[in-house]
Amino acid sequence: MKNLLFIGPLPPPVGGDTISFQKLISSSYINTNYNIDIIDISQKKNIRIKGDIKEDIKRYIKVIKKILQRVKKNDIIFVNANPGFAVTVYWQILIISKLYNKKTIFKIFGGSIDKYISKNVFKKFILISSIKYTDLYLPQTRHLLKWSRRYTSKSLHFPNWLYSWQFNSTDSINPKQKKLIFVGQIKEEKGVFEILDIVEKYEYIECDF
């Protein structure tokens, strides 16, 4: 059984990235087929103070130190990160992994990483280089899968994690009436306009935000 080192954020705070990462590492498939080790990179704060450089440096040092301590005993390094961490830290994790001849899996949380780097040449160079040299890149959306294929063939579509029982509900659903609730940030990249288009097109679908 191979040893798998997960690097990603766990709650608290509760958010899309922390919950999806928690679901991933707690899946029965992962825990049945791998010995897992976890490095939590969450800030453990409900509110991040923008520009708090000292805290960012402290957290960075802790993360790199933990990786250096654990990389030898693991076969695969799986990094689940937001765009900021992906651009500033992942490339260093990638170099460390290559030095120790370890396989790498890279998953960026969020569906707009292409837009995040589009106006910054340095960020674009770092991220695309990281995608090229990682052993497996897992974009969340089909749009990002298509985008990533410009730079690597080693990419697979990997949407946010769901438990298998969530696909097997026996609850009866009236096909003529659907009421949805959107919980999250009201932003274009969250798919809000797609939801509005669907609600406008199908009279039997309602959505509260």
Side-chain angles (χ1 to χ4, degrees):
M1 190 178 291
K2 291 196 173 185
N3 298 320
L4 178 55
L5 174 60
F6 279 103
I7 301 171
L10 288 169
V14 173
D17 54 348
T18 56
I19 296 300
S20 65
F21 183 60
Q22 185 179 51
K23 284 187 175 183
L24 173 62
I25 64 174
S26 62
S27 73
S28 58
Y29 176 83
I30 295 293
N31 287 274
T32 300
N33 293 279
Y34 297 93
N35 296 315
I36 69 168
D37 192 6
I38 304 163
I39 295 177
D40 181 10
I41 60 173
S42 173
Q43 298 175 63
K44 299 304 176 194
K45 294 179 180 179
N46 291 322
I47 300 174
R48 183 182 186 276
I49 301 174
K50 190 174 182 180
D52 192 352
I53 304 299
K54 289 183 179 179
E55 286 300 316
D56 286 345
I57 292 173
K58 286 179 183 178
R59 190 164 63 99
Y60 163 77
I61 292 172
K62 285 180 181 179
V63 170
I64 294 298
K65 186 177 179 180
K66 287 179 180 179
I67 292 168
L68 290 171
Q69 291 171 341
R70 302 184 196 183
V71 67
K72 288 183 181 180
K73 66 178 183 180
N74 286 283
D75 304 297
I76 304 167
I77 314 300
F78 189 125
V79 178
N80 188 100
N82 62 31
F85 188 93
V87 170
T88 57
V89 183
Y90 177 71
W91 65 271
Q92 297 167 75
I93 297 174
L94 184 61
I95 290 173
I96 293 170
S97 301
K98 295 296 182 184
L99 288 174
Y100 286 94
N101 198 29
K102 306 297 180 179
K103 296 293 184 181
T104 52
I105 300 174
F106 186 27
K107 180 178 183 294
I108 301 176
F109 178 82
S112 56
I113 187 66
D114 54 333
K115 294 180 181 178
Y116 177 77
I117 64 172
S118 63
K119 296 180 181 179
N120 189 306
V121 176
F122 177 73
K123 287 181 179 179
K124 186 174 183 178
F125 172 77
I126 291 293
L127 185 71
I128 291 175
S129 297
S130 298
I131 290 173
K132 282 181 178 179
Y133 290 103
T134 200
D135 293 295
L136 181 61
Y137 173 59
L138 302 175
Q140 278 189 196
T141 65
R142 294 192 182 279
H143 165 72
L144 287 182
L145 175 65
K146 184 178 180 180
W147 173 80
S148 67
R149 288 282 169 85
R150 303 178 197 170
Y151 312 109
T152 179
S153 60
K154 298 175 290 185
S155 58
L156 294 172
H157 181 218
F158 193 91
N160 278 339
W161 194 265
L162 291 173
Y163 294 120
S164 58
W165 59 262
Q166 292 175 288
F167 294 97
N168 300 315
S169 174
T170 57
D171 296 339
S172 60
I173 298 174
N174 182 354
K176 294 184 179 180
Q177 186 176 18
K178 297 188 188 300
K179 294 184 178 181
L180 311 175
I181 298 176
F182 178 90
V183 180
Q185 299 180 50
I186 309 298
K187 292 183 177 181
E188 181 182 357
E189 57 264 33
K190 300 296 183 181
V192 172
F193 290 108
E194 284 79 1
I195 295 174
L196 292 175
D197 288 341
I198 291 170
V199 170
E200 185 178 4
K201 185 176 180 180
Y202 301 100
E203 294 181 356
Y204 60 87
I205 297 179
E206 299 177 14
C207 185
D208 290 332
F209 293 86

